[in-house]
Each structure stands twice: as C-alpha cells, then as structure tokens.
Amino acid sequence: MSVVTEKRLKDRSGSKCEISGSDENLVVYLVEPKTDDIPENCILITKTLKDQIENPETTNANDWRSLSDSMWNENLPVQIVSWRMHARLKNNDMLEMMYLDEDALEWAKATGEADDDEGKIVHKDSNGNILKDGDSVVLVKDLDVKGATFTAKRGAAVHNIKLVWDDANLIEGRVESQTIFILTQYVKKTK
C-alpha cells in the first residue's frame, strides 16, 4: 500500500479503525475487487478485523459490534465492508436498513458475501485448498502461455496472485515478468 494512501486514510479516520473505532494495530485494507490502492477503494482497519474478512472461518461476531455505526459512515468503502459483514453475519434487518446505489451494491456483492454458500465463487487449487488474493502458488504442470514466447515450467513459483472474482477456475499472476491467467487446477498453494 502506498504511504500517501495510508496518510490520507489516517487523516480521514482520525487514525482510528473505520469499523471499530480502535486505534491499535491499524492496517490499510483494499476493498475487493478494486485493485487501485487509493483512499476511495480502501479503509483503515485493525489487523484482527482484516484477518477475519480474509479468513471467514475465523469471524467472531463479537468483534463486529460496531457495524451498526460504521454502516452509516460517509465513505463508500466503509459502507461496502459494513454491508458485506452484515451479510456474512446474517444481520438481514441491518442490510434492509442500508441504502447503496446500484453501482455500490454491485461492488458490495462482488465477493459473493450475501450469496448462499452454494452460489459463492470459491477458488481452489489442485489439492482443494482455498486460494485468496496475495497467496503464493507453484505450477504443477508445464503450461504453454498463449501469446507469449515461453512455457511456464512446472514448479515455477507465482507470488501475490489475484483471484478472477467472477470465475472460480482462474487466477492472475506473474511468470517470467509477464502477467498471465492460470487455471486453478494447475497450481498448488504454498504455505
């Protein structure tokens, strides 16, 4: 994340988490599927809450008590995260109270947080491990790269992957200094 973005977020929030109001362990969180780390796409949040957003199985509803306040925040990325967490926590009465215009609602729904688990897009590697943005993977097969003059070799590491948010079978990553799309069935998540 850029230092300028972090400073602007701290100025915007008074150096407090924009969800909980805490002033400890603050980090910048880029609200998916946005990719530009500008303040209009980010929030300042505690590391604990960021970890819970990224790892839904660790969600502790007690840590999200402030959602009823943050959902009224004037900054759209804060509203988006509040909407998603209300959806995850099944706070349907709060979701009904929130108003997001059509574009904002599309952004909020982009991660599938409000979908039933059956309809949710989940990216899994060749071993069935769930992949997340920023993970590192290795190729499990030599891959011919369309439009390029090289073959991505088995065992090649791909760091800081990006999930293709509307297709569970695709990720994006850099191999030999080129950004390529890779089928998830040909990668294995590394720890």
Side-chain angles (χ1 to χ4, degrees):
M1 290 293 146
S2 81
V3 174
V4 172
T5 295
E6 185 172 357
K7 181 179 180 342
R8 286 183 53 201
L9 288 174
K10 285 181 177 179
D11 291 345
R12 177 175 91 185
S13 68
S15 293
K16 293 186 185 288
C17 173
E18 294 182 278
I19 300 293
S20 69
S22 173
D23 59 1
E24 296 181 15
N25 269 342
L26 299 176
V27 295
V28 174
Y29 175 67
L30 175 63
V31 183
E32 298 173 347
K34 302 291 186 182
T35 55
D36 296 328
D37 66 341
I38 58 175
E40 294 78 16
N41 296 338
C42 299
I43 67 172
L44 195 64
I45 192 167
T46 64
K47 182 167 182 345
T48 300
L49 295 183
K50 178 181 182 276
D51 291 345
Q52 289 182 36
I53 291 170
E54 295 174 342
N55 301 297
E57 64 279 357
T58 66
T59 302
N60 179 351
N62 203 34
D63 292 340
W64 296 93
R65 291 183 312 256
S66 303
L67 282 177
S68 56
D69 294 328
S70 66
M71 67 190 244
W72 304 113
N73 189 293
E74 64 186 13
N75 298 294
L76 187 57
V78 179
Q79 295 173 25
I80 299 299
V81 170
S82 297
W83 188 96
R84 288 179 181 171
M85 292 311 298
H86 276 310
R88 181 183 297 176
L89 296 168
K90 309 283 190 241
N91 294 337
N92 294 327
D93 53 337
M94 293 297 196
L95 284 176
E96 289 175 15
M97 289 173 38
M98 286 187 77
Y99 172 77
L100 296 175
D101 67 30
E102 197 173 305
D103 290 339
L105 190 57
E106 185 177 326
W107 181 12
K109 290 182 174 181
T111 58
E113 208 56 70
D115 298 343
D116 292 333
D117 286 342
E118 296 167 17
K120 198 172 190 177
I121 293 178
V122 178
H123 294 73
K124 294 185 178 182
D125 72 1
S126 59
N127 293 330
N129 296 313
I130 295 176
L131 297 170
K132 295 182 294 238
D133 275 333
D135 280 347
S136 293
V137 298
V138 294
L139 301 179
V140 297
K141 174 183 176 179
D142 287 352
L143 301 174
D144 291 326
V145 180
K146 292 181 182 174
T149 58
F150 70 93
T151 299
K153 297 291 185 189
R154 177 181 179 190
V158 183
H159 301 287
N160 198 23
I161 65 167
K162 292 198 184 317
L163 306 180
V164 175
W165 68 272
D166 61 348
D167 187 339
N169 298 313
L170 280 178
I171 60 171
E172 188 178 339
R174 292 184 67 78
V175 176
E176 294 191 22
S177 301
Q178 267 192 302
T179 300
I180 62 171
F181 290 97
I182 308 166
L183 290 170
T184 56
Q185 68 192 30
Y186 299 130
V187 300
K188 180 174 70 171
K189 183 176 178 177
T190 58
K191 299 293 177 198

